[in-house]
Amino acid sequence: MKKTIVTLMALLLLALSASAQRDLNCYPVFQGKVVPRKQMVVTEVRGSSMAAYQLDYYRGISFLANEALTRKVAALVEADADGAAVNETEKVGDLLTYALVQPLSTGKMNRYLCYQAREVGDKWKVTILYLEGAATLDDLRKMFDKQ
């Protein structure tokens, strides 16, 4: 019985975290609808292992893409940045290469969207993170190096 309750609670938390992402323009990227899942490296962490970072939830994806796909994903992230409470972005030419975005809050937790695109040969390595927790923007700036 106790295992059943714990399992149900974990499923509920997963559903709530996923629903918090649904209002983001880049949500389809996380769902594998823009880049096939088999081409992405997906990392998802929640719970006590994230406490040292003042985060409750971490979801990250990375993939290699051609320039056209990189521009498509970058446009989705830029759309999220445009409507955000806070956004910091950098571009090389007209291509978004870095973003630290704090979407408007949907509850008590801080939410963040982090994006980086780096040229690797004739491809781009794209990384997108979705974070939730008590961490502030300053906390994230200390944790992440924009390289």
Side-chain angles (χ1 to χ4, degrees):
M1 181 70 167
K2 189 174 184 179
K3 279 187 177 182
T4 304
I5 292 172
V6 170
T7 302
L8 289 173
M9 292 300 290
L11 289 173
L12 177 63
L13 286 172
L14 182 62
L16 290 173
S17 293
S19 69
Q21 290 175 292
R22 285 193 183 119
D23 67 330
L24 298 175
N25 291 293
C26 65
Y27 179 68
V29 181
F30 284 97
Q31 295 302 300
K33 294 179 180 177
V34 177
V35 177
R37 282 189 182 268
K38 64 183 178 184
Q39 294 177 11
M40 295 190 295
V41 174
V42 179
T43 306
E44 193 167 2
V45 183
R46 69 175 67 253
S48 61
S49 61
M50 299 302 298
Y53 305 103
Q54 298 182 60
L55 294 171
D56 298 314
Y57 182 65
Y58 169 104
R59 186 172 189 188
I61 59 171
S62 64
F63 53 89
L64 287 175
N66 61 27
E67 186 174 333
L69 183 55
T70 301
R71 286 184 180 282
K72 182 176 183 178
V73 172
L76 295 170
V77 173
E78 283 186 283
D80 287 324
D82 288 343
V86 175
N87 75 63
E88 298 174 7
T89 61
E90 292 179 13
K91 292 184 176 187
V92 171
D94 65 344
L95 178 63
L96 182 70
T97 56
Y98 168 81
L100 177 56
V101 176
Q102 185 176 15
L104 296 173
S105 182
T106 59
K108 295 179 183 178
M109 297 248 181
N110 292 326
R111 303 183 315 147
Y112 302 99
L113 182 65
C114 307
Y115 170 86
Q116 184 178 52
R118 284 192 277 177
E119 206 167 8
V120 179
D122 64 342
K123 299 278 186 183
W124 288 84
K125 180 173 183 182
V126 177
T127 303
I128 306 175
L129 307 177
Y130 175 80
L131 311 167
E132 289 181 355
T136 65
L137 277 170
D138 285 337
D139 294 331
L140 292 183
R141 285 184 194 105
K142 290 174 188 171
M143 279 190 277
F144 296 130
D145 183 38
K146 295 191 305 185
Q147 295 181 355

